[in-house]
Amino acid sequence: MSALGRRRFLANALVVSFVLSGRGLAQDKKLPPSLAKTPHLDSWIRVNADGRVTVFTGKAELGQGIRTALTQVAAHELAMPPAGIDLITADTDLTPDEGVTAGSHSMQDSGTAILNAAANVRALLAEAAAWQFAIAADQIVMRDGAAHAPDGRRIGYGDLAAGLSLEVQAEPDMPRREGGTSVIGQNLPRLDIPAKVSGGQAYVQDIRLPGMLHARVVRGPSDGTKVKAADIAAVEKMPGVVKVVREGGFMAVVADQEWRAVKALHRLQAAGWERSAPPIPASDLRETIRRLPAEQVTIFDYPGPPSPADARTIRARYSRPHLMHGSVGPSCAVAQWANGRMTVWTHSQGVYPLRKALAELLRLEPQRVRCIHVEGAGCYGHNGADDVAADAALAARAVPGKPVRLQWMREQEHGWEPLGSAMVVELAAELDAQNRIAGWRHEVWSNTHSTRPTTAGGLLAGGELDPPFATPKPRPIPMPEGGGARNGNPIYALPNARGTFHFVEQMPARVSALRGLGAQMNVFAIESFMDELAAATGADPVAFRLAWLKDERARDVVRTAADRFGWPARRKGGDGVGTGFAFARYKNLATHCAVALEVRVDRDTGEIRVPRVVAAVDSGEAVNPDGIRNQIEGGIVQSLSWTTLEAVGFDKTHRASFDWSAYPILRFPAVPGRVEVHVIDRPGEPFLGAGEAAQGPAAAALGNAVADALGVRLRDMPLSPQRVKAALRPVRAEPHQAAG
Amino acid sequence: MITLTVNGKAHQVEVDPDTPLLYVLRNELALNGAKFGCGLGQCGACTVLLDDKPVFSCLVPVAALGARKVRTLEGLQANGKPGPLPSAFEAEQAAQCGYCIAGMIVRAQALLEKNPRPTEEEVRSHLAPNLCRCGTHMRILRAVRRAAEAMGGGVRDVAEQTP
């Protein structure tokens, strides 16, 4: 029997158990997308002679725990301890191309691919053992990295693999391992944490190569500016300065010691700066974006009869400012130009797209560029990671053979990172005589939510070379994922509902993907509006949602959060104390997340405190429940920071949020008193990423709680002390509210 | 040549005297714990102990150290094993990206050495100079509580303080 024939036979034999158990890998007989793109098993899994297994993923550890969760998936399916697995993450020389690590896709994409690949490999190993033992494959038990026969004979994976080629294509319908202990669903401690709490080498910032030089890139204070001409000859004479690298408008300084590079940078910036782009409009940029020419894109169109003539219309308008990723560690990369090859150690979320962009920038064949992912500080989307990789590569090319470490300064990270776009949402609903929703309109205005580089023009340095590489024209991301339209389609079963995305191409400020893209704004708006409708009809906010929510898993999540919070017994809002609830299913196709929280608003200072938060989350089969809790907890705290404090400031010439004093974020005294996250596990259901699910629900729950506490609705983020105090003034203007 | 004592060991380094301590720790002594976060004393990622007091090592010129002794995350070990704070952070899985964590641990160490039984409010206000962008705060607070208990003290709830 040929290898393929044997595998088919085996697969058929095992399909029986799959059907009986109902725990299948695939809903249909197609390979999951990542595996379809890279179908050979040895691209994903290699079994070494000593029995250790190397697993390859195209996704990157960003502090979200993906290294641990993917190791658990592989260990489970290969029936071996996680300690026997070495996981190699995103590296253009070694791993499959899985695009970018973004959109809460990693478990869905790579987790599912590795699960399938591992099931294939386990089946092949079992089959090899069957031949060696001369018994049927279904009598073999795979356990602890070895195949076991009923009579006690045992062969380790290393020995089995010696005669086995994994250079074969994955079969799509391999059943999952049944029985035995499972590491899926266990809170395996994160594999990356020991180094992080002990001072081990954990980050790209920690790389030290022999002969390594230190560099800084020289730029104006923010995007749209440039430095004035500096006395370069004087700087080149400074102690330790190796070179001032100039290519067109790109400039970097390379020195023997890092502090000397910093001092040289300050000298090169000393002549001042000027604005090189058109002036920034004086008005609030969310208003500017609302008024700019836009392309209309239909987000959704739910059928239904037209609203009755006597329906009353409720309208509201919500907005958010530009937001910053604000990584605690400024972006950094190490690059080395040697033997005609550029190697870049980078914390980019997409090593393959970055390689393509760098190859174009450096005018090299892509094969002559290698991008290796090494962790940086948390990015929460497209921050300076890719730009700094290009900066380091250009600096390294000027000093052949020498590794160059280039880190941005704090002011550069704040000034140049692509921001999360400002957004405006207008909602209108018609309520019939029975207080039922009879019509719904959602309109959202936003810039793009992704300018991730796939070409040299997408990199800051690409626009600085002479001639510059053209900046790619931004395009709206189509639904169901969506960019500015993400989660603009309500999950509620509403009749006669339509949504329009006003995609605004012209960008007053540099923007790109920030955790959740448009979902945070759209969910804030929809879930605030649901509360406003509930109030208009005298309904309980949770009951009102449940009345329009048909999906059973969604309902479970809503009920769990409400129960655990003690929603029915909550204190009536008022006197600065209030409770709020919100729910969303991320992209309406991934993780369900509900948040209930309590606020205390100081009426004198306008400050909001959050004593208690309860969340419930269903992200499919939970591989590492504590990892999911960690992501949701973090998402809630970060979103509360966005929602209560954060707004990027601008003046006519530049971005004015140049450091943490000009862009404050939540600090310890203001974080919630308690945060509880309840994970609803769904064994056998597809993995859904949890990284971005909490951003919208946390923001909206806060807005709803503040409205409950004050009796006044705040619709513009952030719900800052100034806005709270303004809202509480006896005579107040509410330009965005036009009820009736 | 500048001499400094780090984690109980004397080192001589050849750097410009205005070089911030942070760059010396990271680049000359190859210690990864303290991180560059802002260079402005705004985020605490670079926190180290100078004679038991937490400082921003990004702001201390190495020549200004004098006889003061430096302790970093790497020095918070007991018999080659992680000390109570690093152990507690591991036990509570109190990290996401973890870039801020070394600074958090070091600053918490200063508090617990001085005050083995702080209130929750005291812990929060003591850690206020340190930023975490991942939102790991709740776990960090739990880790400090666990470490305080392991060190024979504890973290008092506010209710305990004002019954």
Side-chain angles (χ1 to χ4, degrees):
Chain A
M1 206 188 289
S2 72
L4 194 62
R6 286 203 301 273
R7 294 188 59 208
R8 287 230 174 90
F9 170 75
L10 186 84
N12 289 339
L14 289 174
V15 160
V16 176
S17 66
F18 159 48
V19 170
L20 289 175
S21 77
R23 278 173 63 107
L25 278 175
Q27 274 70 20
D28 49 34
K29 295 201 172 182
K30 277 195 298 202
L31 286 173
S34 281
L35 203 50
K37 188 171 176 186
T38 311
H40 284 98
L41 293 177
D42 63 350
S43 302
W44 297 91
I45 294 170
R46 287 178 210 161
V47 183
N48 308 316
D50 63 359
R52 290 192 68 78
V53 171
T54 309
V55 176
F56 301 86
T57 173
K59 300 291 184 180
E61 176 65 54
L62 309 175
Q64 83 284 44
I66 199 70
R67 172 179 292 281
T68 309
L70 293 177
T71 300
Q72 283 176 264
V73 167
H76 166 82
E77 210 47 53
L78 289 166
M80 62 184 293
I85 291 176
D86 301 302
L87 184 82
I88 309 288
T89 59
D91 177 335
T92 56
D93 267 15
L94 301 178
T95 68
D97 177 1
E98 290 192 270
V100 289
T101 302
S104 298
H105 265 285
S106 297
M107 285 309 294
Q108 214 172 316
D109 294 354
S110 208
T112 310
I114 288 172
L115 190 73
N116 276 266
N120 270 270
V121 169
R122 180 174 43 75
L124 290 173
L125 290 166
E127 185 190 4
W131 281 79
Q132 292 215 21
F133 291 148
I135 58 174
D138 61 6
Q139 292 185 38
I140 290 171
V141 174
M142 309 295 271
R143 192 175 67 236
D144 294 333
H148 300 260
D151 59 10
R153 283 178 296 166
R154 174 191 180 283
I155 310 180
Y157 289 174
D159 295 325
L160 286 173
L164 191 67
S165 169
L166 294 180
E167 204 185 335
V168 291
Q169 300 233 339
E171 298 270 341
D173 47 4
M174 279 294 168
R176 276 177 65 164
R177 184 169 74 85
E178 284 292 328
T181 56
S182 174
V183 71
I184 285 185
Q186 304 294 312
N187 292 324
L188 184 71
R190 285 250 306 273
L191 303 169
D192 54 324
I193 285 184
K196 291 175 175 178
V197 300
S198 65
Q201 193 193 305
Y203 306 95
V204 69
Q205 285 88 350
D206 299 336
I207 291 177
R208 290 178 204 91
L209 296 173
M212 187 172 83
L213 299 172
H214 291 272
R216 287 294 181 274
V217 67
V218 186
R219 293 200 165 98
S222 84
D223 73 292
T225 69
K226 63 175 187 183
V227 285
K228 289 183 178 164
D231 187 351
I232 287 163
V235 171
E236 280 190 321
K237 290 195 197 97
M238 288 173 70
V241 171
V242 174
K243 194 166 197 167
V244 175
V245 181
R246 298 173 73 197
E247 287 196 42
F250 173 84
M251 181 154 58
V253 58
V254 184
D256 60 347
Q257 291 181 5
E258 189 173 9
W259 180 242
R260 288 173 161 178
V262 173
K263 285 194 284 188
L265 165 68
H266 290 154
R267 281 281 286 279
L268 289 164
Q269 290 174 323
W273 55 275
E274 58 202 355
R275 182 145 187 96
S276 49
I280 300 172
S283 65
D284 189 325
L285 289 191
R286 61 192 113 184
E287 297 308 318
T288 305
I289 287 172
R290 170 76 181 73
R291 286 196 302 266
L292 284 169
E295 175 185 339
Q296 317 328 310
V297 183
T298 297
I299 313 173
F300 65 98
D301 194 346
Y302 303 163
S307 305
D310 60 349
R312 59 179 171 142
T313 304
I314 311 272
R315 294 175 198 280
R317 182 182 183 193
Y318 307 87
S319 72
R320 84 164 198 191
H322 283 89
L323 294 174
M324 209 173 265
H325 300 79
S327 293
V328 163
S331 295
C332 182
V334 177
Q336 185 169 24
W337 172 240
N339 308 317
R341 209 161 185 237
M342 181 65 76
T343 305
V344 183
W345 290 266
T346 169
H347 56 102
S348 165
Q349 288 175 279
V351 289
Y352 278 94
L354 175 63
R355 178 177 76 162
K356 181 172 170 282
L358 287 180
E360 188 187 0
L361 182 83
L362 302 167
R363 302 187 187 285
L364 293 170
E365 290 295 309
Q367 295 72 21
R368 293 174 69 194
V369 178
R370 178 183 185 185
C371 294
I372 304 167
H373 183 270
V374 184
E375 266 192 88
C379 59
Y380 328 106
H382 174 198
N383 68 349
D386 298 282
D387 296 312
V388 81
D391 297 343
L394 288 171
R397 192 168 60 174
V399 286
K402 298 279 191 188
V404 173
R405 176 187 180 279
L406 191 152
Q407 184 164 17
W408 279 6
M409 303 303 288
R410 165 53 47 202
E411 300 86 335
Q412 293 177 321
E413 189 76 26
H414 267 64
W416 289 88
E417 68 143 276
L419 304 169
S421 178
M423 298 177 73
V424 174
V425 171
E426 291 181 2
L427 280 165
E430 279 121 32
L431 294 173
D432 66 16
Q434 289 75 45
N435 276 333
R436 295 179 54 82
I437 300 170
W440 178 282
R441 300 289 175 273
H442 185 118
E443 294 195 75
V444 50
W445 286 260
S446 173
N447 278 151
T448 182
H449 284 262
S450 179
T451 57
R452 291 183 185 279
T454 53
T455 61
L459 298 162
L460 280 180
E464 293 168 339
L465 297 187
D466 185 21
F469 288 90
T471 310
K473 189 177 150 76
R475 293 296 311 145
I477 300 169
M479 295 297 278
E481 300 257 330
R486 182 169 292 180
N487 275 91
N489 46 342
I491 190 160
Y492 303 104
L494 302 173
N496 178 27
R498 276 195 295 284
T500 305
F501 175 30
H502 304 266
F503 175 75
V504 180
E505 189 182 313
Q506 198 182 320
M507 291 177 273
R510 185 177 193 227
V511 293
S512 191
L514 171 67
R515 195 176 191 177
L517 309 191
Q520 190 249 0
M521 178 67 218
N522 285 312
V523 170
F524 175 77
I526 291 171
E527 288 296 289
S528 294
F529 198 53
M530 285 299 277
D531 260 40
E532 298 200 52
L533 296 181
T537 61
D540 170 77
V542 171
F544 187 74
R545 283 174 173 78
L546 286 170
W548 293 99
L549 201 52
K550 300 300 170 208
D551 183 289
E552 273 311 315
R553 284 171 67 176
R555 296 174 64 86
D556 268 0
V557 168
V558 167
R559 283 189 297 244
T560 302
D563 289 351
R564 299 298 182 110
F565 183 77
W567 184 261
R570 76 196 185 282
R571 169 188 161 161
K572 189 172 155 26
D575 291 332
V577 181
T579 48
F581 192 94
F583 166 78
R585 181 175 194 195
Y586 190 46
K587 308 176 200 169
N588 280 1
L589 49 77
T591 291
H592 302 263
C593 179
V595 174
L597 56 77
E598 181 187 330
V599 297
R600 282 165 199 269
V601 186
D602 186 318
R603 299 176 71 97
D604 297 324
T605 64
E607 280 174 13
I608 300 167
R609 286 290 182 272
V610 183
R612 191 161 75 95
V613 186
V614 174
V617 58
D618 168 357
S619 58
E621 178 158 15
V623 172
N624 189 320
D626 190 60
I628 294 168
R629 275 195 291 274
N630 203 349
Q631 283 296 291
I632 298 295
E633 280 172 32
I636 288 168
V637 173
Q638 187 180 66
S639 181
L640 293 179
S641 181
W642 292 358
T643 310
T644 56
L645 285 178
E646 298 183 30
V648 177
F650 300 89
D651 60 27
K652 274 189 209 165
T653 54
H654 73 319
R655 197 187 285 183
S657 301
F658 47 83
D659 68 6
W660 295 120
S661 70
Y663 189 82
I665 64 171
L666 217 55
R667 289 182 184 265
F668 272 98
V671 297
R674 272 193 292 152
V675 178
E676 242 175 80
V677 179
H678 300 279
V679 176
I680 300 174
D681 189 9
R682 299 284 185 189
E685 291 294 335
F687 307 135
L688 304 167
E692 294 158 310
Q695 306 313 105
L702 182 96
N704 290 336
V706 169
D708 188 48
L710 302 180
V712 180
R713 170 72 53 179
L714 294 172
R715 301 186 183 84
D716 299 305
M717 290 187 269
L719 282 62
S720 61
Q722 295 81 347
R723 281 209 175 87
V724 169
K725 281 193 288 184
L728 290 174
R729 276 186 210 122
V731 181
R732 49 177 190 269
E734 287 189 71
H736 299 334
Q737 172 68 351
Chain B
M1 203 68 98
I2 292 166
T3 304
L4 69 164
T5 308
V6 179
N7 300 330
K9 243 175 93 180
H11 299 270
Q12 293 203 317
V13 293
E14 203 151 344
V15 296
D16 299 348
D18 61 349
T19 306
L21 172 60
L22 173 65
Y23 294 86
V24 174
L25 296 173
R26 293 190 57 81
N27 299 333
E28 309 305 316
L29 307 184
L31 295 171
N32 295 317
K35 307 286 190 298
F36 179 80
C38 65
L40 304 163
Q42 296 177 347
C43 77
C46 66
T47 304
V48 301
L49 298 176
L50 274 197
D51 285 349
D52 309 330
K53 284 198 182 63
V55 299
F56 301 119
S57 67
C58 70
L59 295 182
V60 180
V62 66
L65 278 180
R68 288 178 294 177
K69 291 179 175 60
V70 182
R71 272 189 298 159
T72 70
L73 173 66
E74 289 85 348
L76 304 186
Q77 303 212 343
N79 311 318
K81 287 195 171 152
L85 269 159
S87 300
F89 272 68
E90 205 173 326
E92 293 291 345
Q93 296 285 287
Q96 285 188 33
C97 84
Y99 197 88
C100 70
I101 292 299
M104 296 286 180
I105 291 176
V106 171
R107 188 169 298 276
Q109 178 81 20
L111 175 67
L112 296 183
E113 285 181 3
K114 206 173 69 185
N115 180 1
R117 287 183 57 76
T119 63
E120 164 99 12
E121 212 174 321
E122 284 168 338
V123 175
R124 285 174 179 243
S125 86
H126 179 85
L127 292 177
N130 287 38
L131 290 177
C132 167
R133 187 52 162 167
C134 297
T136 322
H137 305 74
M138 312 315 296
R139 285 168 184 251
I140 293 171
L141 292 169
R142 287 205 293 274
V144 174
R145 183 180 289 265
R146 178 188 280 258
E149 285 162 9
M151 291 158 84
V155 172
R156 289 174 292 148
D157 291 318
V158 180
E160 241 179 277
Q161 196 187 14
T162 49

PDB file of all heavy atoms in Angstrom, chain A residues 211-230:
ATOM      1  N   GLY A 211      30.017  43.112  18.442  1.00  0.00           N
ATOM      2  CA  GLY A 211      30.319  44.241  17.575  1.00  0.00           C
ATOM      3  C   GLY A 211      29.134  45.139  17.279  1.00  0.00           C
ATOM      4  O   GLY A 211      29.197  45.986  16.386  1.00  0.00           O
ATOM      5  N   MET A 212      28.055  44.950  18.023  1.00  0.00           N
ATOM      6  CA  MET A 212      26.819  45.681  17.711  1.00  0.00           C
ATOM      7  C   MET A 212      26.965  47.180  17.956  1.00  0.00           C
ATOM      8  O   MET A 212      27.519  47.608  18.963  1.00  0.00           O
ATOM      9  CB  MET A 212      25.666  45.130  18.553  1.00  0.00           C
ATOM     10  CG  MET A 212      24.306  45.693  18.209  1.00  0.00           C
ATOM     11  SD  MET A 212      22.981  44.825  19.086  1.00  0.00           S
ATOM     12  CE  MET A 212      23.039  45.679  20.664  1.00  0.00           C
ATOM     13  N   LEU A 213      26.447  47.969  17.011  1.00  0.00           N
ATOM     14  CA  LEU A 213      26.428  49.428  17.146  1.00  0.00           C
ATOM     15  C   LEU A 213      25.011  49.873  17.502  1.00  0.00           C
ATOM     16  O   LEU A 213      24.048  49.119  17.329  1.00  0.00           O
ATOM     17  CB  LEU A 213      26.872  50.072  15.830  1.00  0.00           C
ATOM     18  CG  LEU A 213      28.291  49.720  15.363  1.00  0.00           C
ATOM     19  CD1 LEU A 213      28.538  50.256  13.956  1.00  0.00           C
ATOM     20  CD2 LEU A 213      29.339  50.248  16.348  1.00  0.00           C
ATOM     21  N   HIS A 214      24.928  51.115  17.997  1.00  0.00           N
ATOM     22  CA  HIS A 214      23.632  51.665  18.389  1.00  0.00           C
ATOM     23  C   HIS A 214      23.278  52.832  17.485  1.00  0.00           C
ATOM     24  O   HIS A 214      24.138  53.645  17.154  1.00  0.00           O
ATOM     25  CB  HIS A 214      23.672  52.125  19.839  1.00  0.00           C
ATOM     26  CG  HIS A 214      23.787  50.974  20.793  1.00  0.00           C
ATOM     27  ND1 HIS A 214      22.689  50.304  21.281  1.00  0.00           N
ATOM     28  CD2 HIS A 214      24.874  50.366  21.326  1.00  0.00           C
ATOM     29  CE1 HIS A 214      23.093  49.322  22.079  1.00  0.00           C
ATOM     30  NE2 HIS A 214      24.412  49.335  22.126  1.00  0.00           N
ATOM     31  N   ALA A 215      22.012  52.893  17.112  1.00  0.00           N
ATOM     32  CA  ALA A 215      21.592  53.966  16.206  1.00  0.00           C
ATOM     33  C   ALA A 215      20.321  54.629  16.699  1.00  0.00           C
ATOM     34  O   ALA A 215      19.563  54.062  17.479  1.00  0.00           O
ATOM     35  CB  ALA A 215      21.381  53.400  14.802  1.00  0.00           C
ATOM     36  N   ARG A 216      20.138  55.854  16.239  1.00  0.00           N
ATOM     37  CA  ARG A 216      18.887  56.579  16.434  1.00  0.00           C
ATOM     38  C   ARG A 216      18.504  57.176  15.097  1.00  0.00           C
ATOM     39  O   ARG A 216      19.372  57.608  14.329  1.00  0.00           O
ATOM     40  CB  ARG A 216      19.022  57.700  17.480  1.00  0.00           C
ATOM     41  CG  ARG A 216      19.121  57.211  18.928  1.00  0.00           C
ATOM     42  CD  ARG A 216      17.832  56.536  19.383  1.00  0.00           C
ATOM     43  NE  ARG A 216      17.855  56.071  20.763  1.00  0.00           N
ATOM     44  CZ  ARG A 216      18.333  54.879  21.161  1.00  0.00           C
ATOM     45  NH1 ARG A 216      18.871  54.042  20.286  1.00  0.00           N
ATOM     46  NH2 ARG A 216      18.275  54.527  22.434  1.00  0.00           N
ATOM     47  N   VAL A 217      17.192  57.209  14.836  1.00  0.00           N
ATOM     48  CA  VAL A 217      16.707  57.843  13.620  1.00  0.00           C
ATOM     49  C   VAL A 217      16.426  59.303  13.949  1.00  0.00           C
ATOM     50  O   VAL A 217      16.048  59.628  15.074  1.00  0.00           O
ATOM     51  CB  VAL A 217      15.466  57.101  13.058  1.00  0.00           C
ATOM     52  CG1 VAL A 217      14.260  57.237  13.997  1.00  0.00           C
ATOM     53  CG2 VAL A 217      15.103  57.606  11.653  1.00  0.00           C
ATOM     54  N   VAL A 218      16.628  60.167  12.970  1.00  0.00           N
ATOM     55  CA  VAL A 218      16.471  61.605  13.200  1.00  0.00           C
ATOM     56  C   VAL A 218      15.224  62.087  12.465  1.00  0.00           C
ATOM     57  O   VAL A 218      15.157  62.010  11.234  1.00  0.00           O
ATOM     58  CB  VAL A 218      17.709  62.379  12.689  1.00  0.00           C
ATOM     59  CG1 VAL A 218      17.596  63.857  13.073  1.00  0.00           C
ATOM     60  CG2 VAL A 218      18.994  61.780  13.260  1.00  0.00           C
ATOM     61  N   ARG A 219      14.267  62.556  13.233  1.00  0.00           N
ATOM     62  CA  ARG A 219      13.031  63.057  12.610  1.00  0.00           C
ATOM     63  C   ARG A 219      12.546  64.275  13.379  1.00  0.00           C
ATOM     64  O   ARG A 219      12.999  64.558  14.482  1.00  0.00           O
ATOM     65  CB  ARG A 219      11.935  61.979  12.629  1.00  0.00           C
ATOM     66  CG  ARG A 219      12.208  60.771  11.770  1.00  0.00           C
ATOM     67  CD  ARG A 219      10.945  59.963  11.416  1.00  0.00           C
ATOM     68  NE  ARG A 219      11.272  59.053  10.322  1.00  0.00           N
ATOM     69  CZ  ARG A 219      11.580  57.751  10.487  1.00  0.00           C
ATOM     70  NH1 ARG A 219      11.545  57.201  11.689  1.00  0.00           N
ATOM     71  NH2 ARG A 219      11.909  57.004   9.451  1.00  0.00           N
ATOM     72  N   GLY A 220      11.574  64.967  12.811  1.00  0.00           N
ATOM     73  CA  GLY A 220      10.894  66.042  13.517  1.00  0.00           C
ATOM     74  C   GLY A 220      10.032  65.462  14.623  1.00  0.00           C
ATOM     75  O   GLY A 220      10.052  64.257  14.869  1.00  0.00           O
ATOM     76  N   PRO A 221       9.268  66.318  15.297  1.00  0.00           N
ATOM     77  CA  PRO A 221       8.536  65.852  16.475  1.00  0.00           C
ATOM     78  C   PRO A 221       7.335  64.958  16.175  1.00  0.00           C
ATOM     79  O   PRO A 221       6.913  64.209  17.050  1.00  0.00           O
ATOM     80  CB  PRO A 221       8.084  67.148  17.150  1.00  0.00           C
ATOM     81  CG  PRO A 221       8.100  68.174  16.074  1.00  0.00           C
ATOM     82  CD  PRO A 221       9.176  67.773  15.117  1.00  0.00           C
ATOM     83  N   SER A 222       6.772  65.039  14.971  1.00  0.00           N
ATOM     84  CA  SER A 222       5.626  64.163  14.699  1.00  0.00           C
ATOM     85  C   SER A 222       5.457  63.984  13.205  1.00  0.00           C
ATOM     86  O   SER A 222       6.124  64.657  12.412  1.00  0.00           O
ATOM     87  CB  SER A 222       4.343  64.752  15.286  1.00  0.00           C
ATOM     88  OG  SER A 222       3.771  65.695  14.403  1.00  0.00           O
ATOM     89  N   ASP A 223       4.563  63.105  12.829  1.00  0.00           N
ATOM     90  CA  ASP A 223       4.304  62.891  11.410  1.00  0.00           C
ATOM     91  C   ASP A 223       3.871  64.212  10.795  1.00  0.00           C
ATOM     92  O   ASP A 223       3.191  65.016  11.433  1.00  0.00           O
ATOM     93  CB  ASP A 223       3.256  61.793  11.193  1.00  0.00           C
ATOM     94  CG  ASP A 223       1.845  62.221  11.537  1.00  0.00           C
ATOM     95  OD1 ASP A 223       1.587  62.442  12.727  1.00  0.00           O
ATOM     96  OD2 ASP A 223       1.018  62.344  10.617  1.00  0.00           O
ATOM     97  N   GLY A 224       4.320  64.462   9.575  1.00  0.00           N
ATOM     98  CA  GLY A 224       4.020  65.730   8.905  1.00  0.00           C
ATOM     99  C   GLY A 224       5.045  66.818   9.167  1.00  0.00           C
ATOM    100  O   GLY A 224       4.848  67.952   8.746  1.00  0.00           O
ATOM    101  N   THR A 225       6.125  66.455   9.873  1.00  0.00           N
ATOM    102  CA  THR A 225       7.179  67.457  10.122  1.00  0.00           C
ATOM    103  C   THR A 225       8.519  66.906   9.663  1.00  0.00           C
ATOM    104  O   THR A 225       8.666  65.705   9.428  1.00  0.00           O
ATOM    105  CB  THR A 225       7.316  67.795  11.619  1.00  0.00           C
ATOM    106  OG1 THR A 225       7.858  66.651  12.311  1.00  0.00           O
ATOM    107  CG2 THR A 225       5.984  68.165  12.246  1.00  0.00           C
ATOM    108  N   LYS A 226       9.507  67.833   9.536  1.00  0.00           N
ATOM    109  CA  LYS A 226      10.870  67.381   9.272  1.00  0.00           C
ATOM    110  C   LYS A 226      11.857  68.289  10.003  1.00  0.00           C
ATOM    111  O   LYS A 226      11.530  69.449  10.303  1.00  0.00           O
ATOM    112  CB  LYS A 226      11.164  67.329   7.782  1.00  0.00           C
ATOM    113  CG  LYS A 226      11.084  68.681   7.100  1.00  0.00           C
ATOM    114  CD  LYS A 226      11.503  68.557   5.636  1.00  0.00           C
ATOM    115  CE  LYS A 226      11.597  69.927   4.994  1.00  0.00           C
ATOM    116  NZ  LYS A 226      11.920  69.898   3.585  1.00  0.00           N
ATOM    117  N   VAL A 227      13.041  67.742  10.286  1.00  0.00           N
ATOM    118  CA  VAL A 227      14.043  68.560  10.982  1.00  0.00           C
ATOM    119  C   VAL A 227      14.681  69.521   9.980  1.00  0.00           C
ATOM    120  O   VAL A 227      14.780  69.230   8.789  1.00  0.00           O
ATOM    121  CB  VAL A 227      15.159  67.703  11.630  1.00  0.00           C
ATOM    122  CG1 VAL A 227      14.648  67.016  12.877  1.00  0.00           C
ATOM    123  CG2 VAL A 227      15.760  66.717  10.648  1.00  0.00           C
ATOM    124  N   LYS A 228      15.129  70.658  10.503  1.00  0.00           N
ATOM    125  CA  LYS A 228      15.874  71.607   9.666  1.00  0.00           C
ATOM    126  C   LYS A 228      17.321  71.119   9.555  1.00  0.00           C
ATOM    127  O   LYS A 228      17.785  70.319  10.376  1.00  0.00           O
ATOM    128  CB  LYS A 228      15.820  72.996  10.292  1.00  0.00           C
ATOM    129  CG  LYS A 228      14.438  73.629  10.194  1.00  0.00           C
ATOM    130  CD  LYS A 228      14.443  75.035  10.762  1.00  0.00           C
ATOM    131  CE  LYS A 228      13.062  75.669  10.609  1.00  0.00           C
ATOM    132  NZ  LYS A 228      12.928  76.863  11.463  1.00  0.00           N
ATOM    133  N   ALA A 229      18.012  71.653   8.558  1.00  0.00           N
ATOM    134  CA  ALA A 229      19.373  71.184   8.285  1.00  0.00           C
ATOM    135  C   ALA A 229      20.270  71.323   9.519  1.00  0.00           C
ATOM    136  O   ALA A 229      20.243  72.347  10.206  1.00  0.00           O
ATOM    137  CB  ALA A 229      19.955  71.987   7.134  1.00  0.00           C
ATOM    138  N   ALA A 230      21.026  70.284   9.778  1.00  0.00           N
ATOM    139  CA  ALA A 230      21.875  70.273  10.971  1.00  0.00           C
ATOM    140  C   ALA A 230      23.338  70.314  10.553  1.00  0.00           C
ATOM    141  O   ALA A 230      23.690  70.079   9.392  1.00  0.00           O
ATOM    142  CB  ALA A 230      21.597  69.011  11.765  1.00  0.00           C
TER     143      ALA A 230
END
